[in-house]
């Protein structure tokens, strides 16, 4: 599909939840989608389910993403949700690969280093992979990528250290969606 084929006259906003691995993206996105009746697209799951990889980088212990295949798969998912009048909550640790037109809000989750360390250790990350992700969080790499890839007015950061903060983020996002519906003259039947 061409860059302009997806309309911007959505009845419900699309939200990208991003951040360093371990910041709570999937938990936050799942809660938000559930509370607002939105469609949750966990990009990691899509990649695994449809084998959107071009090989493996053993030094980083990660698969190499086939961005074109992923975006070609996601475009109709986003379009279908729009046609159904349902917004999407997309979560992924990479934010700069998606078309800017897909999202009305980009939420970058942040976590304190000790929290992130514990989460990545619990996941079984090797020391070098954990260190790389810790450095990425300290240097706010994902936040900077989001600010470079999207209109800075739609990029927001939020702490995600505890379940209480995640729930608070979801409540704030619920309020943001309600305001988006008002600002875009959309009935809020689904919120």
């Amino acid at each position: 599909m061409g860059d302009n084929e997806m309309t911007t006259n959505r009845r419900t906003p699309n939200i990208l939840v991003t951040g360093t691995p371990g910041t709570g993206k999937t938990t936050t996105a799942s809660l938000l989608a559930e509370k607002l009746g939105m469609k949750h697209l966990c990009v990691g799951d899509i990649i695994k389910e449809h084998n959107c990889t071009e090989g493996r980088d053993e030094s980083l212990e990660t698969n190499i993403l086939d961005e074109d295949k992923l975006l070609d798969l996601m475009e109709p998912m986003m379009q279908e949700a729009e046609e159904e009048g349902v917004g999407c909550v997309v979560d992924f640790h990479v934010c700069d690969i998606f078309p800017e037109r897909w999202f009305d809000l980009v939420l970058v989750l942040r976590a304190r280093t000790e929290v992130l360390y514990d989460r990545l250790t619990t996941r079984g990350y090797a020391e070098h992979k954990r260190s790389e992700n810790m450095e990425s969080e300290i240097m706010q790499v994902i936040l900077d990528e989001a600010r470079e890839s999207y209109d800075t007015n739609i990029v927001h950061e939020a702490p995600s250290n505890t379940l209480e903060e995640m729930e608070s983020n979801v409540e704030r996002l619920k309020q943001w969606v309600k305001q988006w519906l008002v600002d875009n003259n959309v009935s809020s039947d689904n919120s």
Side-chain angles (χ1 to χ4, degrees), residues 13-19 23-45 86-93 103 105 107-109 158 160 163 165-171 173-174 177:
N14 291 331
I15 300 170
L16 173 61
V17 180
T18 191
T23 54
K25 298 174 297 297
T26 301
T27 301
T28 299
S30 295
L31 286 168
L32 183 62
E34 179 183 317
K35 295 219 180 218
L36 291 175
M38 297 173 80
K39 184 176 186 175
H40 178 206
L41 297 177
C42 180
V43 177
D45 291 346
V86 177
C88 289
V89 181
V90 176
D91 83 82
F92 196 45
H93 64 276
F103 301 108
L105 178 74
L107 181 68
V108 182
L109 297 178
S160 184
L163 185 56
E165 285 180 344
M166 289 180 196
E167 290 171 345
S168 174
N169 291 336
V170 170
E171 288 305 312
L173 287 167
K174 281 174 55 178
V177 168

Side-chain angles (χ1 to χ4, degrees), residues 72-87:
D72 286 347
L73 281 164
M74 287 186 67
E75 182 82 35
M77 294 176 189
M78 299 290 288
Q79 185 67 40
E80 179 182 308
E82 182 176 334
E83 289 168 2
E84 294 171 357
V86 177

Side-chain angles (χ1 to χ4, degrees), residues 27-189:
T27 301
T28 299
S30 295
L31 286 168
L32 183 62
E34 179 183 317
K35 295 219 180 218
L36 291 175
M38 297 173 80
K39 184 176 186 175
H40 178 206
L41 297 177
C42 180
V43 177
D45 291 346
I46 295 169
I47 291 168
K48 288 176 192 165
E49 183 180 335
H50 297 281
N51 194 27
C52 298
T53 60
E54 299 177 321
R56 182 148 176 91
D57 183 332
E58 291 302 336
S59 66
L60 295 176
E61 297 180 10
T62 189
N63 291 319
I64 300 167
L65 177 62
D66 182 340
E67 292 178 19
D68 291 334
K69 182 175 181 179
L70 174 64
L71 295 177
D72 286 347
L73 281 164
M74 287 186 67
E75 182 82 35
M77 294 176 189
M78 299 290 288
Q79 185 67 40
E80 179 182 308
E82 182 176 334
E83 289 168 2
E84 294 171 357
V86 177
C88 289
V89 181
V90 176
D91 83 82
F92 196 45
H93 64 276
V94 176
C95 64
D96 58 356
I97 63 170
F98 304 111
E100 184 176 0
R101 64 187 159 76
W102 279 7
F103 301 108
D104 303 289
L105 178 74
V106 177
L107 181 68
V108 182
L109 297 178
R110 306 293 309 276
R112 292 189 312 269
T113 53
E114 67 274 12
V115 172
L116 191 60
Y117 181 89
D118 290 346
R119 290 176 182 171
L120 297 177
T121 300
T122 299
R123 289 183 179 185
Y125 277 38
E127 178 58 36
H128 68 280
K129 188 171 181 179
R130 185 174 51 225
S131 294
E132 181 181 294
N133 282 292
M134 298 286 294
E135 183 177 322
S136 175
E137 181 65 8
I138 291 166
M139 301 301 292
Q140 70 182 31
V141 171
I142 306 297
L143 179 60
D144 289 345
E145 286 177 358
R147 288 177 174 156
E148 291 169 10
S149 301
Y150 300 93
D151 182 328
T152 55
N153 293 321
I154 71 166
V155 176
H156 300 275
E157 66 178 304
S160 184
N161 298 294
T162 64
L163 185 56
E164 291 78 18
E165 285 180 344
M166 289 180 196
E167 290 171 345
S168 174
N169 291 336
V170 170
E171 288 305 312
R172 286 198 322 254
L173 287 167
K174 281 174 55 178
Q175 293 306 311
W176 180 87
V177 168
K178 285 182 183 180
Q179 188 61 50
W180 186 93
L181 294 170
V182 168
D183 293 347
N184 289 277
N185 297 314
V186 179
S187 169
S188 60
D189 295 340

